[in-house]
Amino acid sequence: MSEPLRIAIAGLGTVGAGVFQLLAKNGALIARRGGRPLEVVAVAARDRKKDRGVDLAKVAWFDDAAKMAAEADCEVVVELIGGAEGMARRVCETALAKGRHVVTANKALLAHHGTALAASAEAKGLTIAYEAAVAGGIPIIKSIREGLAANRLSRVYGILNGTCNYILTQMRKTGRAFGDVLADAQKLGYAEADPSFDVDGVDAAHKLAILAGVAFGTKIDFAAVHVEGIRRVGAQDIQFARELGFRIKLLGIAELGEGGLMQRVHPCMVPLETPIAHVEDVYNAVVAEGDFVGRVVAEGRGAGAGPTASAVVADIVDIAHGRRPMTFQLPAGELATPKALGIDARRGGYYIRLDVIDRPGVIADVTAALRDEAVSLASMLQRGRAPDERVPVVLVTHDTQEAAMRRALDRIARLGAVLEAPVVIRIESL
Amino acid sequence: MSEPLRIAIAGLGTVGAGVFQLLAKNGALIARRGGRPLEVVAVAARDRKKDRGVDLAKVAWFDDAAKMAAEADCEVVVELIGGAEGMARRVCETALAKGRHVVTANKALLAHHGTALAASAEAKGLTIAYEAAVAGGIPIIKSIREGLAANRLSRVYGILNGTCNYILTQMRKTGRAFGDVLADAQKLGYAEADPSFDVDGVDAAHKLAILAGVAFGTKIDFAAVHVEGIRRVGAQDIQFARELGFRIKLLGIAELGEGGLMQRVHPCMVPLETPIAHVEDVYNAVVAEGDFVGRVVAEGRGAGAGPTASAVVADIVDIAHGRRPMTFQLPAGELATPKALGIDARRGGYYIRLDVIDRPGVIADVTAALRDEAVSLASMLQRGRAPDERVPVVLVTHDTQEAAMRRALDRIARLGAVLEAPVVIRIESL
């Protein structure tokens, strides 16, 4: 058996400890599979004394992760600090500058600096691997980059945030409101104390930008992702979705067409017949559509110590085997920069919920606004009647252009009888 | 860019022609991704004159595929002939003997000779790659072997035959009988003129044996697979399944536990909440369960020119990149040979449909037989009443051992009022 692959780990939170536990339990098997043992030789974290259930006796300790990335006697630096800037970025840049491979679970870093990091790595013949950054334990980066390497992909989309999927699933199962379910999710550890990163769609957008890069061979363009979260999805929307034969999911969708690349994260109505409608709770799923393979779906746990450690170690095994894939399908210098299409260019159906005062003429005004923008109505639902009181009215449109729908909606929102900003959920036929 | 990778293709049926079409359409992109063009330099098939919509002008033609495998000026031989013996086997063995890598879509060959072929390939530092042999376009072999390389897998299962899944889906959607739906599937080209390989479960069993080998690092043991097909699934079973909250799927299931390895292919009742319950029509899906990653599901098209060509070319791209994975996770000489557990050792619930004469005492006799074998009944359904006529009676058991259930069933089958051999469908909680 060959020499061990020497690894340094920056950051010893849940995932870092998970990597230790995984190697302790499965290290011997992995060595047989890889023909080479994996050995953690150095660790950097803030508090040396904290008990993480991990044996650090044989490991060099660094208080400064960047110093470790520069000086540890290793071939691979695993970055598990997180965040787009600061120490995480410094660790990765230092490791590459010093000739070490990098394995990271850091989606924010890659969404913001992925193309530059890829270029640095490739210039030195090094790998920057990031399977754990997207959809946790699902080996989707490998599947897209290698498994579907023969295909031209036209679309990639998925449920990329487990917290949101958990909240939406619980809202559906219990009929409770977003805020209540979020509070519970926080208690259970499925949502952070400050949940905005997850529930406002930013985390999913980071992952989507990375997925688009590797699926299409394009420069990562996080700034161009249209992002909406799930805060405005109401219990009644969940109920209406049920009646209409849909489930509400927060999807990240990237489509590359003649006109350019559209990337968007927002709540969607998806038909019950489509596979991801049934991906529930904290599970993630990614769908890739290729010209020869057709539709491929991968589902699994998107977060947590075990699944993330599984992805991190798979990347390390690739390095141990000498497998050196391109970071994003093509050499960093050859990545395309397609035109970024804004959400205005989106075409599809819309679910619109209005809160209106139930009085004569309201519906006529609403439908006139739609007609004037050539937005064609597929159906309308009004729940009960309550003269001069507030009632929800749901409109479902045929396929139309987002820009036209927005213009109609601006006019509708200004109607005196419309009480709150309309809730708009895009219908994705998928 | 490096020298082209030179490829010889044995067999020019739908898949072979698909590989040509794929390389014609996406070859330039694949070359950029791989840093190396792929070039088909030789082809062997039976009839040179047949029009396959493929340009063979620049390709050396061989009437004898084994001669091509020995003599063509190539690095990779792609075997697309099919069958466990004869020419397909000769092509693969010859190619390896002559120092060429092999890419094959041939599940029968691998199920019967996979371990020996792996040993031959590894002895020469060559690859035998077979992504296309299991679940068509789904990159499940790569996902298990590399993407989940950090895990110890305990179970792998899936919908491995598109023909059966199509038939069961149509039976459910239309309420029609197996024979009718099969006849339609044959007309549509979803089933062969002789459908037995598919509907009797043999094709799924080949794939399961291969999956078990790569998931567990065990020698392929096709002979130990318990195989049942879907011929006895009746329209009324589909209807009962619906009432009980199940879908009927033909699954291949491989489980490695303390006691040994159980491999089985048979119709299953799966709960609606489980992901593969929603995998319909010709789609395949594979579920792998690992100790760190948890449950990972992959779904896609299991057959057809496009998906199969996608998998074949992905394997070729791996070779072009110099990626040389072990054939079945561990070196062929280190593959384990766990004890083969027969179906008698299976524990779980059972759905049993009896065709009985509706007369007093029948149910008492049936339930007495179950009680005597300590098989505990969860529910019983009798559809309508028809004194002294034939009625279906459905029994659902709690978890029990297959052997006990079989003993009870033998006694039940001998009761005078029981008219036909009982239909038994195992309930998989998954």
Side-chain angles (χ1 to χ4, degrees):
Chain A
M1 196 165 289
S2 319
E3 284 289 287
L5 181 76
R6 298 167 69 82
I7 302 158
I9 298 180
L12 263 193
T14 1
V15 176
V19 170
F20 262 92
Q21 278 145 18
L22 194 159
L23 291 177
K25 179 157 182 262
N26 290 348
L29 177 62
I30 293 168
R32 288 177 65 213
R33 289 176 180 168
R36 199 171 170 192
L38 309 181
E39 190 182 336
V40 180
V41 297
V43 155
R46 276 200 210 133
D47 181 359
R48 188 170 191 167
K49 298 207 190 77
K50 188 173 163 189
D51 182 15
R52 300 169 174 94
V54 158
D55 179 12
L56 297 172
K58 293 185 198 152
V59 172
W61 180 274
F62 288 82
D63 291 312
D64 179 339
K67 190 169 147 71
M68 181 189 75
E71 297 177 8
D73 176 22
C74 67
E75 288 172 64
V76 180
V77 173
V78 178
E79 184 275 304
L80 300 172
I81 295 168
E85 306 295 339
M87 185 52 92
R89 185 177 177 190
R90 210 147 75 240
V91 163
C92 294
E93 289 175 348
T94 306
L96 294 174
K98 295 287 180 179
R100 288 103 196 263
H101 303 289
V102 171
V103 173
T104 177
N106 188 335
K107 45 245 173 194
L109 177 70
L110 280 157
H112 285 94
H113 307 294
T115 312
L117 287 165
S120 305
E122 290 171 20
K124 295 210 154 201
L126 296 168
T127 292
I128 176 161
Y130 54 93
E131 185 66 79
V134 180
I138 308 172
I140 191 63
I141 301 299
K142 180 176 278 285
S143 291
I144 286 177
R145 193 171 44 190
E146 301 171 31
L148 306 185
N151 291 268
R152 201 176 286 273
L153 300 187
S154 49
R155 182 158 73 163
V156 60
Y157 62 92
I159 295 171
L160 300 172
N161 184 276
T163 304
C164 288
N165 206 40
Y166 176 81
I167 291 173
L168 291 171
T169 304
Q170 290 304 313
M171 287 176 71
R172 185 177 64 76
K173 288 187 178 165
T174 64
R176 293 164 68 213
F178 170 79
D180 289 358
V181 174
L182 172 61
D184 272 8
Q186 286 170 316
K187 274 180 222 148
L188 289 164
Y190 291 157
E192 308 278 341
D194 175 1
S196 51
F197 219 64
D198 290 314
V199 302
D200 294 333
V202 182
D203 175 75
H206 284 152
K207 294 166 181 168
L208 182 69
I210 300 169
L211 265 183
V214 70
F216 306 134
T218 50
K219 277 195 183 131
I220 291 184
D221 189 3
F222 173 66
V225 184
H226 173 85
V227 189
E228 297 171 29
I230 63 168
R231 287 188 200 263
R232 295 208 64 217
V233 176
Q236 37 184 334
D237 299 314
I238 305 263
Q239 183 53 38
F240 281 120
R242 191 193 315 263
E243 290 172 35
L244 293 162
F246 292 113
R247 290 229 168 125
I248 300 179
K249 296 289 176 189
L250 182 77
L251 298 188
I253 304 175
E255 290 160 299
L256 182 65
E258 304 269 306
L261 172 64
M262 191 186 297
Q263 303 174 84
R264 51 202 169 94
V265 170
H266 53 71
C268 299
M269 294 268 177
V270 299
L272 268 183
E273 302 77 45
T274 204
I276 53 169
H278 302 280
V279 175
E280 298 276 55
D281 293 316
V282 296
Y283 276 84
N284 282 19
V286 177
V287 182
E289 293 170 353
D291 52 354
F292 282 81
V293 76
R295 182 185 78 196
V296 174
V297 187
E299 178 188 342
R301 291 182 176 275
T308 312
S310 167
V312 165
V313 175
D315 277 345
I316 301 175
V317 170
D318 268 359
I319 292 170
H321 276 245
R323 295 194 282 256
R324 302 271 179 280
M326 316 260 198
T327 316
F328 301 109
Q329 183 196 119
L330 292 173
E334 293 182 27
L335 293 170
T337 49
K339 185 179 166 206
L341 293 178
I343 189 80
D344 273 2
R346 190 240 175 206
R347 239 194 113 70
Y350 291 84
Y351 161 99
I352 301 161
R353 175 167 56 82
L354 306 171
D355 231 0
V356 302
I357 298 287
D358 188 2
R359 65 187 180 212
V362 175
I363 300 300
D365 291 345
V366 166
T367 52
L370 293 169
R371 177 205 59 208
D372 292 350
E373 294 296 343
V375 175
S376 156
L377 205 55
S379 63
M380 201 195 73
L381 292 171
Q382 184 179 336
R383 185 66 60 250
R385 294 242 38 199
D388 291 319
E389 290 188 31
R390 202 179 172 113
V391 289
V393 170
V394 165
L395 311 170
V396 175
T397 77
H398 285 122
D399 281 6
T400 187
Q401 194 94 10
E402 173 108 3
M405 196 279 304
R406 284 282 161 202
R407 286 192 300 270
L409 221 52
D410 281 350
R411 218 174 109 187
I412 290 167
R414 284 196 306 270
L415 294 172
V418 172
L419 298 174
E420 282 182 43
V423 169
V424 177
I425 302 180
R426 296 173 188 87
I427 299 170
E428 299 293 331
S429 48
L430 303 175
Chain B
M1 198 164 289
S2 319
E3 284 288 288
L5 181 75
R6 299 168 68 82
I7 301 158
I9 299 181
L12 263 193
T14 359
V15 176
V19 170
F20 262 92
Q21 277 145 19
L22 194 159
L23 291 177
K25 180 158 181 262
N26 290 349
L29 177 62
I30 293 168
R32 288 178 65 214
R33 289 177 180 168
R36 199 171 170 194
L38 309 182
E39 189 183 337
V40 180
V41 298
V43 155
R46 277 200 209 132
D47 181 0
R48 188 169 189 166
K49 297 205 191 76
K50 189 173 163 191
D51 182 15
R52 300 169 174 94
V54 157
D55 179 11
L56 298 171
K58 293 184 197 153
V59 172
W61 179 273
F62 288 81
D63 291 313
D64 179 339
K67 191 169 148 71
M68 181 188 76
E71 297 178 7
D73 175 21
C74 67
E75 288 173 65
V76 180
V77 172
V78 178
E79 184 275 305
L80 301 172
I81 296 168
E85 305 295 338
M87 186 52 93
R89 186 177 176 191
R90 209 145 76 240
V91 163
C92 293
E93 289 176 349
T94 306
L96 294 173
K98 295 287 180 178
R100 287 104 195 263
H101 302 289
V102 171
V103 173
T104 177
N106 190 334
K107 45 243 172 195
L109 177 70
L110 280 157
H112 285 94
H113 306 294
T115 311
L117 286 165
S120 305
E122 290 171 20
K124 295 210 154 202
L126 297 167
T127 291
I128 176 161
Y130 55 93
E131 184 66 79
V134 180
I138 308 172
I140 190 64
I141 301 298
K142 180 176 279 284
S143 292
I144 288 177
R145 192 172 45 190
E146 302 171 30
L148 306 185
N151 291 268
R152 202 174 286 273
L153 300 187
S154 49
R155 182 158 73 161
V156 59
Y157 63 91
I159 295 172
L160 300 173
N161 183 276
T163 304
C164 288
N165 206 40
Y166 175 80
I167 291 172
L168 291 171
T169 303
Q170 290 303 312
M171 286 176 72
R172 184 177 65 77
K173 288 187 179 165
T174 65
R176 292 163 68 213
F178 170 79
D180 289 358
V181 173
L182 171 61
D184 272 9
Q186 287 171 315
K187 275 181 220 146
L188 289 164
Y190 291 157
E192 307 277 342
D194 175 2
S196 50
F197 219 63
D198 291 313
V199 302
D200 293 333
V202 183
D203 175 74
H206 284 152
K207 294 166 181 167
L208 181 69
I210 299 169
L211 266 182
V214 71
F216 306 133
T218 49
K219 278 195 183 131
I220 291 184
D221 190 2
F222 174 66
V225 184
H226 173 85
V227 190
E228 297 171 30
I230 62 168
R231 288 187 200 264
R232 295 207 65 215
V233 176
Q236 38 184 334
D237 300 313
I238 305 264
Q239 183 53 38
F240 282 120
R242 191 192 315 263
E243 290 172 36
L244 294 163
F246 292 114
R247 290 229 169 126
I248 300 179
K249 296 288 176 191
L250 182 76
L251 297 188
I253 304 174
E255 290 159 299
L256 182 65
E258 303 270 307
L261 172 63
M262 191 186 299
Q263 305 174 82
R264 51 200 170 96
V265 170
H266 53 70
C268 299
M269 295 268 176
V270 299
L272 268 182
E273 303 76 47
T274 204
I276 53 168
H278 301 281
V279 175
E280 298 276 55
D281 293 315
V282 296
Y283 276 84
N284 282 19
V286 177
V287 182
E289 293 171 353
D291 53 353
F292 282 81
V293 76
R295 181 185 78 196
V296 174
V297 188
E299 178 188 341
R301 291 182 176 275
T308 313
S310 167
V312 165
V313 174
D315 277 345
I316 301 175
V317 169
D318 268 359
I319 292 170
H321 275 245
R323 295 194 282 256
R324 303 271 179 280
M326 318 260 197
T327 315
F328 300 109
Q329 184 197 119
L330 292 173
E334 292 182 27
L335 295 171
T337 48
K339 184 180 167 206
L341 292 178
I343 189 78
D344 272 2
R346 189 237 175 209
R347 237 195 114 72
Y350 291 84
Y351 160 99
I352 301 161
R353 175 168 56 83
L354 306 171
D355 231 0
V356 303
I357 298 288
D358 188 1
R359 67 187 180 212
V362 176
I363 299 300
D365 290 345
V366 166
T367 50
L370 293 169
R371 177 206 58 211
D372 292 350
E373 294 296 344
V375 175
S376 155
L377 206 54
S379 62
M380 200 196 74
L381 292 171
Q382 182 179 338
R383 185 65 59 250
R385 296 241 36 197
D388 291 318
E389 292 187 30
R390 211 180 162 109
V391 289
V393 170
V394 165
L395 311 170
V396 175
T397 77
H398 284 122
D399 280 7
T400 187
Q401 193 95 8
E402 173 108 4
M405 196 278 305
R406 285 280 161 205
R407 285 192 300 270
L409 223 50
D410 281 349
R411 217 175 109 187
I412 289 168
R414 284 196 305 270
L415 294 172
V418 171
L419 299 174
E420 283 180 43
V423 169
V424 176
I425 302 180
R426 295 173 188 87
I427 298 170
E428 298 293 332
S429 50
L430 302 175

